[in-house]
Structures are given as structure tokens and as C-alpha cells.
Amino acid sequence: MPDTFTPRPYQRDAIKALRDGWRGPHNRLAVVLPTGAGKTVIIANLISEYLPELRGQRVLVIAHREELIEQAAAKVSAVRPDLRVGIVKAERDQHQAAEVIVASVQTLAVEKRRQAIRDVGLIVVDECHHAAAPTYMEVLAHFGAWNGTPVAGFTATLARADGGLAEVWEDVVFRLDILDMIADGYLCDVRGLRITVDTLDLDTVRTRGGDLVDGQLGRALEDSGALQAIAKAYAQHAVDRPGVVFTPTVATAQAAAETLRAAGITAAPVWGQMSRDDRRAALARYVAGDVQVLTNAMLLTEGFDAPHTSCVVIARPTKSPGLYVQMAGRALRPAPGKGDALLLDVMGASTRHKLASMVDLTERELAPAEEGKTLREVAEEAKAAEQRRTLAARIEAEEVNLFGESAIRWLRTADGVWFIRLTGAMFLFLQRDPGTRLYRMRRWTESHGPHAPKEDIARPLSEALAWLEQQAKVLAPHAFVARQARWRSGTPSPKQLGLCRRLGIKVPRGSTAGDVADLIDQDRVGRVLGQLILPAA
């Protein structure tokens, strides 16, 4: 078997997950893989491995586009040249002697055509995020999907605006995140830039079925000058990159190609209703490098395989992360000389719509990407930030525990600095060294003015706390506040409350004298610290 058809480790894991899953209570199982992960290789090898268990029954592969059907049939034949693979689509009806049948869902929707196909023991659904549609449901039911026949679904996303997928797929047995694929070198890293069009008002575009209406969106793009902005941005950021532009309508795709050509970029539009020969010719010119950019009205979201593509223009703003994944995925396959992929997102100046973006390519929770950052860089920054938050939370818990056990009343400013008030003119506080878990002592008195002397030895928290409390007892043996001082449980004095009013300190109902004293100290120390020139740690 050629190496290109030998399963990669994760492809082998996906096959195993399906086979193990079918031994359990569920038979309709899905696999979610990023675009470019090689699902047809998995499908072909799954069929090759599972056929002996069917004991004469056959495999049915269901797809909805010509390109997907041809790809699946070709890949199965390449992996297993000994198998008889037949295609059932329109005028083609090669099911009679076939062991593997690759069929169009539109053809199987015709009852007479599906009735002619018998003895199906395994069903594979390509781009299975479409499977909640009534046509798919009817076809799957006919071939026993709800009566125990094993069913495997493959997709880059299970998000579907009109829902219903849970009725089809009982479990997702294998997932692989795009960031794992990038880290392992199976996909290119991807960088995002925004094309902001000030005159594009997406708020005027209606939403239907959970996403922006294609016709209105196309008119908004054309009327706003967005196509000229796309051509300018492409010439500026992607002049040497072969790319694909996704638009909402055929008219917009044609206009986008014309605008790109006017800017000196060779471009050709493709759409679903153009003749098969013309479409194939345009795609061939793109693959050969005679055309730099293909514009399309959502035709190339599935079944389009041109690894040299290194730029995708999302001129079809969408609220659907699933659709965004399908579009962006066209540029993620690695190719010789290809460093990364570039996504150019067309945006209005402002919008009430929450639009999908580059961070939706991964299932990890990421903040919106900064301009020009790659997905991997954004993910690494998010991971580092999470590690910092985890460390900060651990330090916080340690601090609260240690300070809470002290006999001295330690307080904390709004900025998180721990301190002891010794007298009205002196206090001690601990400063944590940046990037470490060590602490240094700081001492402030009015005589020092804005300069705060420091104790130069950095210490772990427990040592620093003990050392500083010893200093407190030496510097002001009777001035520091004990946690259990009896006066703290009393009623606030009129003097305390009057001072709080003058300082603008809000006193919660039920506060004790100790609580109010703490509020006053925290306010004063917070103000003083804001004026201090602290020596570098």
C-alpha cells in the first residue's frame, strides 16, 4: 500500500474508536477532524478493515457533492485495488456487483434508486453535519441506521444552525483539535487579519436560520465598496499567495473576481450551476498556477483539495463557527514552500452580530486574536495566561491561609498588598518579587517621604512573614493590632464613622469597630502606596 494511504497514528486511533464504539450500545457514531486531517484515508482504511466482518454484506458511502463522491471512490480503490467500487449518482448506477457503493444522497432520495441497493452492512456519511436534513434522515432510516446497522459520520464540525444533529449521532467517539494537528506538523499554522470596511453595515442584514441572509449580505458587500477593499488588502498582504475568496452569492463572487483582476490579480469565479467542464477547467487553471485566486459562492467549502492554497478571504461574514471552519480549512493543508495560512476576515466598522473568527477553528477557549497573531501564538499566550492565573490562585490561597493564622492583624489593599499598621506614621508591608514566589519587606514612615526602604533578602512567604512580624514587635512592640483585640468586636465610634464619611468610605451595615478600623487603614495605605517610589525588587 502506498505510504500516502497508510493511516497516520491519529487516523488509526479514529478507526479503532469507531470499531470499539460499535461494540457498545450505540451504532451511529461520529468522528470530528479538522479539514486536512485526511478523512477519506480513514474512510478507505476503515472499509478495508471492516469488510471481512460484514460476511458478504456491502458498504454504502453517502455524500452530497460530486467532488466528495469521486474522492471517496478513488481513495477506496487506491487503498484496496482488489475491491469492486461502484458509484450511484444521476445516470451512473454501478451498484450491482459492487462491494463498496459510493452514492449521492440526492440520488438515494429517489425511492426506486435506494430500493435497488440491498445487503448494506455498514454506512459511512461524509460531511455528516448535513445529516439532520430530512433527505439524509429518510435515506439513513431506509438502510437501517435506526435498526442497528453501524454508521460512521465524518466532519470538521458538528455545528449546524438548524439543530437536530443529536437525533442522528449518538456519540462523537473521536475528536482531534486543529492545534494538535498544527503542533504535530500535519496542518499549517494560520494567521488572521481583518479587512475593516467602514461603510459596511452588517446590522442592516437580516438573520435567518441562525445566520446572515445571503442575498442581503451580498448586496451590502457590493454597495459598501467591500470588494475594492478586498482587492486592496489582497494586493497588500497576499500578493504572492494563491487563495480562495468565499462570498455569499454568485453575483458577488463574479464581481469579486472582476475587482481582483482590475487590481492586477488573476482571478476566476466558480459556482455550482456553471457547467461541469467550465468549473473543472477553472479549478485546473488554479491548481496549475495560471489563476492566483478563485472566488466562489460557498461552492468550495467541501471536497476542494488544493494544498498550495495559502490565503482564504472570508467575504461571507458568518455567525456560524461551523461554516467558518469549513471555509478557513481550505488553506490549512501543508505544501512544499508553504509557511503558514492567512485568513482575511471582512468586517464592518461595528456590528451587533457576534461573528465567527479564527479562534473558532479550535475547541479551546481563546480570547479574540490580536491582529497578525497566529492561532498557535494565541493558544500559547492563552495557556501561559492560564498558568499565571493558576499560580496566582495558588499563591492567593497560600497567602490567605498564612496571614489568616497570624496573631497580628494583617490587612490587604485593593491592589493586593499585605501590610501591618504599626503607628499612625509607620507601617510595614510585603512586596512579592515579579515572576517569583519570594517576598521582600518594605517599611514606610512619614519621615521617608515617597521613598520606601527595603529589606534586601528575598524570602519565601512563610519566612518573610515570620521575619516581618519579628521586626514589627521590635519597631513598635505595643502599637500593632492583634487579631483578637477585644475592642475590635465593639460598636464603631462616632469619630470612626465621621472619618469614614469625610473620606468617602462606605461602611457596610453591621460592621464592628475593628471592621471600620480596617477600612480606614486600607484606604490610607492604599493612598500612600500610590505615591511611593518603591525600590526595584
Side-chain angles (χ1 to χ4, degrees), residues 93-234:
D93 202 18
Q94 303 167 348
H95 67 86
Q96 292 287 358
E99 296 161 281
V100 180
I101 302 163
V102 186
S104 157
V105 68
Q106 294 88 347
T107 298
L108 295 179
V110 179
E111 184 176 3
K112 181 179 178 181
R113 299 295 293 272
R114 65 174 179 265
Q115 289 286 359
I117 299 174
R118 300 182 181 279
D119 301 321
V120 171
L122 171 65
I123 305 169
V124 177
V125 182
D126 198 0
E127 302 296 351
C128 70
H129 52 282
H130 296 289
T135 301
Y136 272 91
M137 298 278 278
E138 185 177 12
V139 170
L140 289 171
H142 172 83
F143 289 105
W146 276 266
N147 292 317
T149 301
V151 186
F154 293 86
T155 183
T157 173
L158 271 184
R160 182 180 165 90
D162 55 3
L165 284 168
E167 299 175 21
V168 182
W169 305 109
E170 297 170 288
D171 193 13
V172 175
V173 293
F174 188 81
R175 286 183 183 271
L176 190 64
D177 193 82
I178 187 175
L179 285 166
D180 297 319
M181 297 281 292
I182 291 171
D184 292 339
Y186 292 123
L187 292 179
C188 293
D189 202 356
V190 56
R191 188 181 310 277
L193 293 174
R194 287 184 289 273
I195 305 174
T196 302
V197 183
D198 292 338
T199 52
L200 175 61
D201 186 2
L202 294 178
D203 292 346
T204 63
V205 179
R206 291 176 55 198
T207 297
R208 182 187 302 137
D211 205 358
L212 303 174
V213 176
D214 287 338
Q216 292 185 17
L217 183 56
R219 287 191 294 274
L221 288 165
E222 294 173 46
D223 294 345
S224 66
L227 302 185
Q228 287 73 24
I230 290 169
K232 181 179 179 180
Y234 207 101

Side-chain angles (χ1 to χ4, degrees), residues 374-508:
T374 70
L375 185 61
R376 192 172 183 179
E377 289 170 344
V378 173
E380 288 171 350
E381 289 175 0
K383 183 178 180 180
E386 179 58 32
Q387 290 172 339
R388 289 194 297 271
R389 285 193 294 270
T390 300
L391 177 60
R394 193 159 62 244
I395 292 174
E396 171 95 2
E398 181 180 314
E399 286 183 349
V400 169
N401 182 53
L402 282 174
F403 285 105
E405 291 178 352
S406 172
I408 295 177
R409 177 60 175 172
W410 281 89
L411 296 176
R412 203 174 195 183
T413 68
D415 292 331
V417 176
W418 292 95
F419 69 92
I420 306 171
R421 179 178 61 80
L422 297 182
T423 68
M426 179 190 298
F427 65 84
L428 303 177
F429 63 94
L430 284 176
Q431 180 183 12
R432 187 165 66 235
D433 280 353
T436 75
R437 300 184 64 182
L438 300 178
Y439 295 73
R440 297 178 187 273
M441 186 198 86
R442 305 297 186 194
R443 176 164 55 91
W444 180 88
T445 64
E446 287 183 345
S447 62
H448 289 128
H451 298 276
K454 67 177 180 178
E455 202 291 312
D456 284 324
I457 301 174
R459 307 165 185 264
L461 177 58
S462 57
E463 293 181 20
L465 177 63
W467 188 90
L468 195 61
E469 290 192 351
Q470 180 61 35
Q471 293 297 306
K473 293 171 183 176
V474 172
L475 291 168
H478 305 295
F480 61 83
V481 178
R483 288 181 57 82
Q484 303 301 324
R486 294 177 62 181
W487 66 267
R488 291 185 56 82
S489 60
T491 303
S493 69
K495 184 178 179 180
Q496 283 182 308
L497 296 176
L499 179 58
C500 285
R501 283 193 296 271
R502 289 195 298 276
L503 295 174
I505 299 173
K506 185 176 180 181
V507 178

